[in-house]
Amino acid sequence: MPSTSLFQNVEAGAGGDEMFAPDASVRPTYAALHDALAGLGPEEFRSRSESLAHSYLDQGITFDYAGEERPFPIDAIPRVIDAEEWSRVSRGVTQRVQALERFLDDLYTDRAAITDGVIPQELVSSSTYIVDAMVGYRPPNGVRIHISGIDLVRDGAGEFRVLEDNVRTPSGVSYVLSNRRAMAQAFPELFAPRPVRRVGEYPGRLLSALQAAAPDVADEDPTVVVLTPGRYNSAYFEHSLLARTMGVDLVEAGDLVERNERIYMRTTAGLRRVDVIYKRTDDDFLDPEVFRPDSMLGVPGLVRAVLAGTVVVANAIGNGIGDDKLTYTYLPDLIRYYLHEEPILPNVDTWRLEEPESLTEVLDRLDELVVKPVDGSGGKGIVIGPAASAQELDALRGRLLADPRGWIAQPVVQLSTIPTLVEGGPECRHVDLRPFALNSGDDIWVLPGGLTRVALPRGEMIVNSSRGGGSKDTWVLATDRPATAGTGSVSTQSQSQASEEERIEDPLDENYDEYDDLPEDHSEEPTREPDPVTSAIPLLDLQDALDPEDDQAVPDSGAGPDGTITDRAAAADEEEADDAQ
């Protein structure tokens, strides 16, 4: 048991804890943080931790849990990853995104991987994610995965493994930014002992990647918008935060219109052409002409405009096959096929139940394995064999026999733990990690750290907020550089030696700004002239539409032509698009 009073309830396990070794000694990566936290004492630490929860509630950083709106839990003990290990993680994520880009391009054009026997034709023909309308389409700069979230777990041996890929609408980066801001305000002195890489450049990097995706707009700056299902969506906080920090408009489907295979945004000055749409809703709701005809969340004619090359949707329509957990099982082979490299980050061992031998083995071992639906999200549908009842396993057996293509199985991975504050003080809790990557077409940039989610109930292996999980600030340590004596602040000389890729957090700096590379404020500049299109369309004041005080600005739901109610919450953009066990 660790000797300090703050960590007295932490039980050192069999090597699976990231802060403490089995002999209760502090691992070197956490040494400076451990000492700084221990120096605060239990009462001061808990007091500041409670202030974090209050600040999240005040800012509206909440989620729905069992029908109750709660502040999204942030734990005040950060996760720490050293520079060398992060370098491997970053390279592994980049490699995976490159392979997925090549796979999606191949799948919608030549299908060489099928011809060459790398993947079976059945993977595609049986998938519900293929969008036939997009076959043959290539984006202007070749990028389909502008934003990705690759979920990782650290196994009992301490190795990071890929749990799943999210290349449709990965969520959670708002919590990365908000967690860092909250920690910098509540615990500024914790950043002093070791240089922690910044995360605040994400909005600027995201905007650059989206602008780079735009069709040729001559000498004009491309217009980027964030398309949200509305403020009743579970991830609306993220949509609004990213739009605000990028300095672009947050729009709903009713704010956009298609004219002559171009997309325009309604403004008080008229219609303004839109070049890039960062969509935060599933493909099924995007365009009622192609997908669900009852959707009130889509823009009629959007797919036609995309195919005409006048607008880009990020991430690309049809990326869902890249999220399919059956596709996931082929990623190591796809990396070798497209990149001629060995995978840097291994998959979790996985059985494909459509293979008769695998199905037979899994059915014999149901009580030992974790079984997941290939299209599941948010932890929904997962059955953890050792924790399931005999009745649950019998029901699962029937589902697997009826639809083996719809399921995969994996061994129970003993996820690593990190001390986490609970009612009785810090105790070990299981965690996963979602690094985010941005692809501009010229390079892939991986946000240092990503979102660490933590399962708060004792023994829980599923970290989703829908199961009561929370998050931690994730610290990636920069290459060792000395700190300024006395203040603990990183010295100016050290800062100048840091590469562009290793900007350092320094909340003690009076000039500290939470976000880097924000767009310039042009609010005082003359309004841009609207494009000369029809003026017969009613104009919409976007500020009124997004005013949180106006309850009529965004209706709860809309009725389709057949009377079907399409609830905005139903188009949630996979706010928990992950199955973390």
Side-chain angles (χ1 to χ4, degrees):
M1 178 183 297
S3 58
T4 63
S5 58
L6 178 62
F7 295 100
Q8 61 183 344
N9 293 332
V10 176
E11 298 179 4
D17 190 74
E18 297 190 14
M19 180 180 285
F20 293 103
D23 63 0
S25 63
V26 180
R27 299 185 191 273
T29 301
Y30 278 86
L33 174 65
H34 170 272
D35 292 346
L37 287 170
L40 292 175
E43 293 184 6
E44 175 68 13
F45 177 68
R46 184 173 290 279
S47 174
R48 293 204 211 177
S49 295
E50 291 173 353
S51 74
L52 289 180
H54 291 310
S55 70
Y56 267 34
L57 189 60
D58 293 342
Q59 296 175 65
I61 308 176
T62 62
F63 74 104
D64 182 83
Y65 179 68
E68 178 184 351
E69 198 70 15
R70 299 184 181 182
F72 189 76
I74 172 177
D75 183 67
I77 302 175
R79 182 189 212 158
V80 184
I81 302 174
D82 68 31
E84 182 177 357
E85 184 171 38
W86 179 253
S87 175
R88 179 173 174 272
V89 168
S90 180
R91 287 184 289 110
V93 168
T94 298
Q95 180 191 60
R96 201 154 180 109
V97 174
Q98 289 172 333
L100 284 164
E101 282 279 12
R102 296 281 296 274
F103 167 68
L104 289 170
D105 181 73
D106 184 17
L107 194 62
Y108 281 99
T109 54
D110 302 327
R111 298 198 171 180
I114 296 176
T115 301
D116 293 341
V118 181
I119 57 173
Q121 171 65 38
E122 291 74 18
L123 172 67
V124 178
S125 60
S126 63
S127 174
T128 60
Y129 292 124
I130 296 295
V131 179
D132 292 338
M134 304 307 295
V135 172
Y137 169 75
R138 275 198 170 109
N141 73 337
V143 175
R144 299 172 188 270
I145 308 172
H146 308 82
I147 308 101
S148 57
I150 308 299
D151 288 354
L152 309 177
V153 294
R154 193 196 294 272
D155 61 21
E159 180 178 32
F160 274 116
R161 291 178 175 266
V162 179
L163 189 66
E164 69 175 40
D165 306 291
N166 297 284
V167 296
R168 282 180 293 173
T169 51
S171 279
V173 76
S174 60
Y175 298 126
V176 177
L177 302 175
S178 299
N179 288 354
R180 181 59 53 85
R181 178 184 184 186
M183 287 295 296
Q185 292 175 342
F187 296 92
E189 71 275 28
L190 296 185
F191 292 85
R194 293 292 298 275
V196 178
R197 291 181 58 180
R198 296 202 66 172
V199 300
E201 60 191 288
Y202 182 89
R205 293 264 192 173
L206 174 59
L207 179 61
S208 295
L210 295 174
Q211 290 175 330
D216 184 11
V217 290
D219 296 329
E220 300 180 28
D221 291 332
T223 298
V224 176
V225 299
V226 177
L227 175 62
T228 176
R231 58 181 178 151
Y232 295 106
N233 181 266
S234 59
Y236 182 74
F237 166 76
E238 175 155 308
H239 309 167
S240 59
L241 175 69
L242 293 177
R244 176 172 56 82
T245 53
M246 284 193 290
V248 304
D249 287 295
L250 180 68
V251 301
E252 297 181 35
D255 305 329
L256 303 178
V257 63
E258 180 267 336
R259 290 289 183 270
N260 299 320
E261 296 185 337
R262 287 185 177 274
I263 299 298
Y264 296 91
M265 173 174 57
R266 293 180 168 115
T267 75
T268 54
L271 293 178
R272 180 178 179 182
R273 188 193 67 239
V274 173
D275 304 298
V276 181
I277 299 173
Y278 177 19
K279 69 175 177 71
R280 296 306 303 260
T281 186
D282 287 341
D283 289 353
D284 285 349
F285 296 88
L286 275 180
D287 184 343
E289 291 183 1
V290 175
F291 301 106
R292 291 181 51 159
D294 63 334
S295 173
M296 302 294 290
L297 307 176
V299 182
L302 174 59
V303 171
R304 282 190 282 109
V306 169
L307 295 177
T310 62
V311 68
V312 167
V313 172
N315 284 340
I317 299 171
N319 276 14
I321 185 67
D323 281 9
D324 192 312
K325 292 180 180 63
L326 192 56
T327 300
Y328 158 90
T329 68
Y330 289 96
L331 247 293
D333 292 332
L334 293 173
I335 290 172
R336 298 181 186 102
Y337 176 69
Y338 291 119
L339 307 181
H340 308 291
E341 301 170 354
E342 285 299 310
I344 297 171
L345 296 173
N347 279 12
V348 174
D349 296 336
T350 306
W351 286 268
R352 302 178 189 126
L353 301 193
E354 63 176 0
E355 299 173 352
E357 300 84 358
S358 296
L359 177 60
T360 298
E361 181 179 357
V362 168
L363 290 175
D364 288 341
R365 300 176 55 193
L366 275 185
D367 60 344
E368 304 173 15
L369 303 175
V370 176
V371 181
K372 304 177 180 180
V374 297
D375 59 352
S377 64
K380 298 181 180 69
I382 292 180
V383 178
I384 300 178
S389 67
Q391 293 81 2
E392 289 172 327
L393 293 179
D394 285 342
L396 176 62
R397 190 183 307 275
R399 293 196 293 271
L400 300 187
L401 289 169
D403 179 25
R405 165 61 172 86
W407 300 83
I408 61 169
Q410 296 173 332
V412 177
V413 179
Q414 295 301 319
L415 307 185
S416 62
T417 62
I418 300 175
T420 300
L421 183 62
V422 294
E423 185 175 354
E427 296 180 4
C428 293
R429 292 294 186 267
H430 295 292
V431 293
D432 77 349
L433 177 65
R434 175 177 289 182
F436 294 88
L438 299 175
N439 188 357
S440 68
D442 294 325
D443 72 324
I444 296 172
W445 177 77
V446 182
L447 175 67
L451 178 65
T452 289
R453 295 174 306 173
V454 55
L456 296 178
R458 182 190 294 271
E460 178 64 72
M461 300 287 281
I462 299 178
V463 300
N464 307 78
S465 61
S466 58
R467 299 286 286 266
S471 69
K472 288 175 173 284
D473 191 13
T474 308
W475 291 8
V476 171
L477 301 181
T479 305
D480 286 340
R481 285 186 290 276
T484 301
T487 65
S489 183
V490 177
S491 69
T492 303
Q493 181 177 3
S494 297
Q495 289 274 24
S496 67
Q497 294 171 349
S499 70
E500 191 69 15
E501 294 296 312
E502 290 198 346
R503 296 179 179 176
I504 307 303
E505 299 282 8
D506 188 6
L508 299 177
D509 184 349
E510 60 182 15
N511 297 317
Y512 177 77
D513 187 0
E514 63 180 295
Y515 298 121
D516 296 318
D517 300 328
L518 289 180
E520 295 181 10
D521 183 2
H522 299 289
S523 59
E524 300 302 322
E525 296 181 6
T527 303
R528 170 182 168 177
E529 290 295 322
D531 292 304
V533 293
T534 179
S535 59
I537 301 172
L539 300 181
L540 175 67
D541 186 332
L542 292 181
Q543 292 303 315
D544 289 344
L546 299 176
D547 185 353
E549 298 300 321
D550 182 3
D551 291 337
Q552 303 303 314
V554 185
D556 290 353
S557 61
D562 60 354
T564 302
I565 299 298
T566 304
D567 189 270
R568 293 178 183 271
D573 64 322
E574 304 299 315
E575 192 268 339
E576 292 286 342
D578 41 44
D579 286 341
Q581 67 86 2

